[in-house]
Amino acid sequence: MRNSNLGYHRLFLLIPAVVVFAASFVVAQDAERPWMNSRLSPEQRADLVLKQMTLDEKLALLHGNGMGHVPQWQMPLTYLGNGGAGYVEGVQRLGIPPLAISDAAYGVRDSGANGRYSTALPSNLGAASSWDPQSACEYGEVIGRELRAQGFNMTLGGGVNLAREPRNGRTFEYAGEDPLLAGTMVGNMMKCVQAQHVLGDLKHYVMNDQETGRMVVNAIISKRGMQASDLLAFHIAISIANPGAVMCSYNRINGDFGCENSYTLRDVLKKDWGFKGFVISDWGGTHSTDKASAAGLDQEEPMAEYFGPKLKEAVQAGKVPMAEIDDHTRRVLYAEFLSGIVDDPTQKSVVDIEKGMEVAQRVEEKSIVLLKNSQSVLPIDPSKVHSIAIIGGHADLGMISGGGSAQVDPPGGNAIMPPGKGATHWQDHIWFPTSPLKALRAKLPNAKIDFNSGTDANSAANLAKNSDIAIVFAYQWISEGMDLPNLSLHENQDALIEQVAAANPRTIIVLETGTAVTMPWIEKVAGVVEAWYAGSAGHKALANVLVGEINPTGKLAISFPMSEKDLPRAVIPPEPATSQALDYAMHYDEGPKVGYKWYETENKQPLFAFGFGLSYTTYEYSGLSVDPSAKTVRFMVKNAGQRAGTEIAEVYAKLPNGADESFKRLVGWKRIALAPGESQTVIVAIDDRPLQTFDEANNRWIFTPGDYEVLVGPSSNNALLTGRLSVH
Ligand code: BGC
């Protein structure tokens, strides 16, 4: 007893001494390493540490060290990369951590090969259909947390290329066709990834709007067209996310490759927009040393072919000025301080599966778009519907996901393969173990729910005929590294749908697609539900929508054309043989007229318009007034139906005729939750960035004076209210 008291006594004496020692250590540390003072700005910290660095230490930050799972991309330090896409050495003696980089478009990649678990959120295009920046943020938080838990401190997510070409195999990784919507959604997503202390990235800068010939294709577009479309989407996303990095793209833009393009990198991104982070090349997208460095590329990935020894030689030979190396290095350091990865190093931990599932389900519930609902076939009414035929799409086992470097690995491997046989090739068609059949059975325990694989259309039609309703699950797989030849459902799914719909007029189609699809059968089916690539909890979200526990709110972030003939290009010209590859060009003569802007100016009706989506209730709009000084619009929305719901009210504006780009563009929106019968006055701020046009001659944005037509309604082609905004 005495001894132990004495022990405590000694301990109390010891504590102040330890505190004093620790404090003096910290002071000494701070004096030696002033950049570790988190009260200084990221710029100040980067400047301070830069002064201490040798040339070799600087150069080490400007290139990758290989890519773990790719045999031809191995380097001595590749093994340190934590099984991710890239690894950049830090400067240990100065407390600058290495970058452990992973792909993470809709969840963290490569968890299978690494023996880890990752949540798959709905596809990025799907989540954009929620028009909900808060959901985008929660999406980003899940990804950021799971990256850190798995030991990564930098993401390669954040695709913000516009859906100029809906056959683009990466459309599911992007956020649709409108710069304001895409920029806002991806910006919020990345802001919240980075808030988890993961260095954020936006990609693929820029005009990487198709995959065909992606390593060579020359995207030809006027500066004005590019500024008002893809560049505007990036600018908006960057202004929201303030990401540490931007990834330059594989393709060429008006002649020069994305990673050595002085117009897009140096002039626009860094000079005009004041981007202070670093430009990272797409994997294998660096083509030169001096040219790329001068144009504004800061870091080559994943190898060191041009920004390793060759960059050092170029510096020593005076071909690349030291100031350029300092600028590249400062940018990497700035991004590390900005994102918090220096002050808060990653610590591996167990991924919070439950939290991921909860967010994945909630986001999907807001992303599902109800496209058709004749005679209120939906929601399923258990008092009337006693038997349901579930057909096709492997709905007994799961739901499909998008491929390529965005692929998230499902737990247990590919759900449609025998256990353990889940192939991991980046272009395998991967189903998650999210069976809509099981989810519906759980929701409707008293209904007789039967499954037919749909491989034999006659037997599927037979089951449909003998059921109260039929639900056909149709899918479309897309991936990085390919474009679709057309927007038809493949594998005879159109024929299957026709036959089932002929057998039962109460047929509902659930689409699991990565982009738009054509629907030759649209008049024959009663309902269409677009579920996108639905993620780890997609089946539960879908079942909730089908039975009406969730009232759908999603609206399309991409137009669905009637036919490919209505697109700016009826076909994507094939990539030429390697010898002529450098002649391969895409002339984007439509300029800023992407998606709905194109259909409007060409006077073509889409199958489903941008911004379209139904609900189980109906909404009424009234009383528009425009406040020109505050640049706001005010109107009423009423829930005129029997169910609570959330309406996304959309605001568009048309430029005065003098602007010669008089087509409408989205300038704002609001999600409004309304109880049955409830009305609300809504005020929406008009974002004036899409209202301006780019003056190429003077490199500036201008307002065309005159009267702008303001259009308010539930979709891009349904203006229920119109008004005027005068700009002088
Ligand atoms: C893709 C990028 C990806 C990178 C690393 C490239 O092929 O275009 O989006 O981040 O690979 O996996």
Side-chain angles (χ1 to χ4, degrees):
M1 188 69 173
R2 258 171 140 208
N3 278 349
S4 75
N5 270 344
L6 195 62
Y8 276 117
H9 191 65
R10 277 194 190 139
L11 191 63
F12 283 125
L13 281 178
L14 209 59
I15 287 170
V18 169
V19 170
V20 170
F21 173 76
S24 59
F25 181 71
V26 170
V27 170
Q29 272 254 24
D30 270 1
E32 271 170 38
R33 294 178 162 190
W35 54 88
M36 285 305 186
N37 179 352
S38 58
R39 287 185 302 276
L40 298 178
S41 69
E43 290 91 333
Q44 290 170 316
R45 299 174 75 181
D47 275 335
L48 286 168
V49 74
L50 181 69
K51 291 198 188 108
Q52 306 297 318
M53 290 170 69
T54 66
L55 176 61
D56 285 335
E57 284 170 340
K58 292 175 186 174
L59 292 170
L61 298 192
L62 308 186
H63 65 80
N65 288 280
M67 183 173 186
H69 304 305
V70 180
Q72 68 272 26
W73 278 342
Q74 298 296 309
M75 287 174 66
L77 300 184
T78 307
Y79 74 97
L80 292 172
N82 192 35
Y87 177 75
V88 178
E89 263 185 287
V91 191
Q92 208 188 348
R93 76 176 180 95
L94 302 174
I96 302 303
L99 296 177
I101 310 172
S102 175
D103 280 300
Y106 63 93
V108 183
R109 183 190 184 187
D110 266 336
S111 45
N114 290 315
R116 303 173 185 145
Y117 171 83
S118 306
T119 303
L121 284 306
S123 68
N124 305 82
L125 179 65
S129 318
S130 73
W131 298 51
D132 182 17
Q134 179 56 34
S135 291
C137 177
E138 289 174 23
Y139 189 113
E141 281 169 357
V142 168
I143 291 179
R145 275 198 306 266
E146 295 193 4
L147 280 163
R148 277 182 67 87
Q150 298 185 26
F152 293 110
N153 61 4
M154 177 167 176
T155 180
L156 299 177
V160 71
N161 299 82
L162 289 190
R164 177 181 292 278
E165 171 48 76
R167 288 160 295 202
N168 177 357
R170 302 190 83 166
T171 305
F172 74 99
E173 291 186 54
Y174 303 135
E177 67 192 31
D178 180 81
L180 183 61
L181 181 64
T184 304
M185 294 300 289
V186 181
N188 277 283
M189 189 267 274
M190 194 47 65
K191 178 174 126 189
C192 295
V193 172
Q194 201 164 272
Q196 301 302 311
H197 299 158
V198 169
L199 201 158
D201 162 64
L202 294 173
K203 69 187 186 183
H204 308 86
Y205 188 76
V206 61
M207 301 308 303
N208 187 180
D209 293 353
Q210 68 175 45
E211 288 295 280
T212 306
R214 66 173 173 157
M215 308 301 286
V216 289
V217 63
N218 189 8
I220 312 248
I221 183 168
S222 69
K223 285 182 181 166
R224 177 171 168 169
M226 175 163 43
Q227 284 278 358
S229 56
D230 300 47
L231 284 178
L232 181 57
F234 271 94
H235 194 194
I236 292 172
I238 290 171
S239 67
I240 297 170
N242 192 19
V246 167
M247 181 192 282
C248 51
S249 58
Y250 286 136
N251 54 289
R252 291 176 291 154
I253 307 135
N254 294 329
D256 285 330
F257 281 107
C259 294
E260 53 184 40
N261 195 305
S262 55
Y263 176 68
T264 55
L265 299 180
R266 191 191 58 206
D267 299 350
V268 177
L269 176 68
K270 293 185 173 177
K271 202 161 138 270
D272 294 348
W273 299 351
F275 174 67
K276 292 192 205 143
F278 68 99
V279 173
I280 180 172
S281 81
D282 199 345
W283 265 225
T286 309
H287 297 271
S288 58
T289 302
D290 327 359
K291 183 177 176 184
S293 172
L297 175 67
D298 299 301
Q299 187 183 82
E300 175 186 1
E301 287 292 349
M303 303 294 281
E305 197 183 334
Y306 298 100
F307 274 34
K310 282 187 192 158
L311 186 55
K312 187 169 184 182
E313 278 163 31
V315 175
Q316 285 164 344
K319 285 196 207 145
V320 170
M322 199 54 206
E324 227 167 81
I325 299 296
D326 283 347
D327 181 52
H328 299 320
T329 312
R330 189 184 291 111
R331 287 170 175 278
V332 178
L333 294 167
Y334 163 83
E336 292 210 19
F337 287 115
L338 171 82
S339 58
I341 67 172
V342 179
D343 302 326
D344 186 14
T346 45
Q347 254 185 323
K348 287 192 180 176
S349 60
V350 178
V351 166
D352 188 342
I353 298 179
E354 295 294 329
K355 182 75 188 162
M357 285 287 183
E358 182 200 315
V359 175
Q361 180 171 336
R362 192 165 56 237
V363 175
E364 175 65 3
E365 284 170 349
K366 290 183 175 173
S367 306
I368 289 172
V369 183
L370 179 63
L371 291 174
K372 181 168 184 185
N373 194 18
S374 290
Q375 296 141 37
S376 300
V377 67
L378 288 171
I380 298 167
D381 178 350
S383 69
K384 295 190 187 125
V385 174
H386 305 292
S387 57
I388 304 175
I390 303 280
I391 294 164
H394 300 287
D396 55 333
L397 298 173
M399 296 179 88
I400 201 166
S401 57
S405 63
Q407 182 72 59
V408 177
D409 297 329
N414 192 347
I416 67 160
M417 311 268 283
K421 285 266 192 308
T424 51
H425 184 265
W426 76 314
Q427 287 199 324
D428 283 331
H429 300 199
I430 307 276
W431 267 257
F432 270 67
T434 48
S435 160
L437 174 68
K438 288 184 195 153
L440 261 185
R441 282 189 175 145
K443 287 280 161 200
L444 300 169
N446 299 323
K448 180 175 172 302
I449 306 184
D450 293 315
F451 177 71
N452 182 293
S453 72
T455 41
D456 173 354
N458 288 328
S459 94
N462 204 32
L463 176 64
K465 199 172 175 177
N466 295 309
S467 308
D468 292 336
I469 61 169
I471 309 179
V472 182
F473 284 81
Y475 61 89
Q476 168 213 56
W477 177 82
I478 59 171
S479 166
E480 176 182 345
M482 56 83 84
D483 290 326
L484 290 168
N486 53 54
L487 296 173
S488 304
L489 291 169
H490 41 249
E491 295 170 25
N492 289 325
Q493 294 180 94
D494 281 338
L496 173 69
I497 293 171
E498 297 266 0
Q499 218 168 317
V500 171
N504 187 334
R506 295 177 69 77
T507 292
I508 298 151
I509 312 305
V510 172
L511 295 166
E512 298 168 35
T513 75
T515 179
V517 282
T518 49
M519 304 181 200
W521 33 259
I522 187 68
E523 296 304 331
K524 299 173 191 156
V525 303
V528 181
V529 176
E530 175 58 87
W532 313 108
Y533 297 149
S536 291
H539 56 323
K540 294 188 183 159
L542 177 67
N544 280 344
V545 167
L546 293 176
V547 304
E549 278 177 33
I550 294 287
N551 190 354
T553 54
K555 303 245 176 137
L556 294 179
I558 184 173
S559 309
F560 280 38
M562 298 261 197
S563 143
E564 297 79 6
K565 289 201 286 294
D566 294 341
L567 298 172
R569 284 153 290 279
V571 292
I572 302 177
E575 184 176 358
T578 330
S579 56
Q580 293 138 29
L582 286 177
D583 299 333
Y584 186 48
M586 293 299 299
H587 292 266
Y588 292 131
D589 297 335
E590 75 278 12
K593 287 174 278 174
V594 177
Y596 64 94
K597 296 166 184 161
W598 169 258
Y599 298 112
E600 180 188 334
T601 42
E602 296 293 305
N603 229 337
K604 291 177 173 166
Q605 279 303 316
L607 175 62
F608 291 110
F610 172 82
F612 177 78
L614 299 169
S615 158
Y616 296 147
T617 184
T618 51
Y619 303 101
E620 288 170 1
Y621 287 64
S622 62
L624 174 68
S625 62
V626 179
D627 180 339
S629 53
K631 289 221 177 95
T632 55
V633 295
R634 192 188 173 100
F635 52 95
M636 290 271 266
V637 181
K638 179 178 180 190
N639 180 348
Q642 306 298 316
R643 279 171 187 266
T646 297
E647 168 68 334
I648 302 169
E650 302 164 31
V651 183
Y652 296 83
K654 270 190 182 186
L655 269 50
N657 286 336
D660 87 24
E661 282 182 9
S662 56
F663 50 82
K664 73 170 91 73
R665 62 267 327 266
L666 180 72
V667 293
W669 70 89
K670 191 147 223 167
R671 293 172 55 87
I672 314 137
L674 294 165
E678 186 187 348
S679 292
Q680 250 184 54
T681 300
V682 182
I683 296 176
V684 181
I686 295 178
D687 193 307
D688 61 16
R689 289 169 292 190
L691 284 185
Q692 300 171 58
T693 49
F694 188 73
D695 169 5
E696 278 197 33
N698 298 299
N699 193 47
R700 59 178 187 153
W701 289 90
I702 45 168
F703 277 110
T704 308
D707 283 345
Y708 289 60
E709 192 180 357
V710 175
L711 308 116
V712 176
S715 77
S716 65
N717 65 352
N718 189 7
L720 298 178
L721 308 172
T722 54
R724 293 249 167 273
L725 171 73
S726 298
V727 176
H728 295 290

